[in-house]
Amino acid sequence: MIRPIVVAFGEKKGREQARGRPMSEERAAAAMRADVPVLAAGHVWLAGAGPGDPGLLTLDALAGLSQADVVVHDALVDRRVLALAGAQARLEFAGKRGGRPSAEQGDISNRLIELARAGKRVLRLKGGDPCVFGRGGEEALALKAAGVPFRIIPGVTAGLAGLTAAAIPATLRGINRAIILAAGYGADADGVDWAALARTGQPIVLYMAMRNLATIADELMRGGLPPSTPAAIVVSATMVDERIFVSTLDRVAADAQAHQLGAPSIIVIGDIVNVRERLIDAVHMAESEAAR
């Protein structure tokens, strides 16, 4: 598991929370930035919180957390990240979870506009990257139409960071020269040509696909992917309860059900999955030595 190092903005030095001991003066000074961006009153930042582990939060997102009056956050933002918000910040939940009562997207956008017009410093915090299946683009368009100043803060997308943390390289010379990111929700009705994606021969990373995994796997096999194509499910990527399960395309949906694997999950299909077996022992050894 990744050992997070959290750097706090403000008068006090950051602390290396995973170790429970203070940063050195030199390291704290290096971590502080002279050009920290300012979240102004009446402005909205659309920021990515990364896949979960606070160590993968960007410094700009952290700056937003330290300055915001209101943090409007999704369900997938880890509580350890939310704990980094400044004492003045009010947390507002605006999460969307499949199959559960959720806020409507229009209501969320209207709330951001309302808060900004009230003079608040608003941080809209999303898991991963705000513009990778995060509807950050929709919210940016709504803010622009309303004349609300905004900024987009990129985040580490879970679809790639989750693979790296699981010792599955997203690209590897000799295996692939591209990788496909696809949303799996509504897979039986949204017109995705899974057969065409299968014919590319490139690894496919699925977001929000557990409910439709069996359908997607069948379509990919009809498109020409062999049933034995390696597949992996990464549940709660980079978080303390992370689970990783390796399977094959013809079995992955049944295995997910049998092992009660749920959301949030990233599913990767392709030969890059096999590299995990070659790397994982070395990764575990390095983590054990770092923990001593």
Side-chain angles (χ1 to χ4, degrees), residues 31 48 61 83 89 95 104 170 176 219 256 258 271 277 281:
E104 295 293 333
N176 65 312
E219 290 296 324
D271 288 339
E277 186 176 359
D281 288 345

Side-chain angles (χ1 to χ4, degrees), residues 251-276:
R251 290 287 310 162
V252 67
D255 286 339
Q257 185 173 12
H259 291 270
Q260 299 182 328
L261 303 180
S265 298
I266 292 295
I267 301 156
V268 55
I269 299 162
D271 288 339
I272 56 173
V273 172
N274 285 338
V275 182
R276 171 178 162 81

Side-chain angles (χ1 to χ4, degrees), residues 1 165 167 244 276 279-290:
M1 189 65 61
I244 302 165
R276 171 178 162 81
L279 292 178
I280 195 62
D281 288 345
V283 171
H284 285 165
M285 184 180 297
E287 288 178 349
S288 296
E289 290 178 353

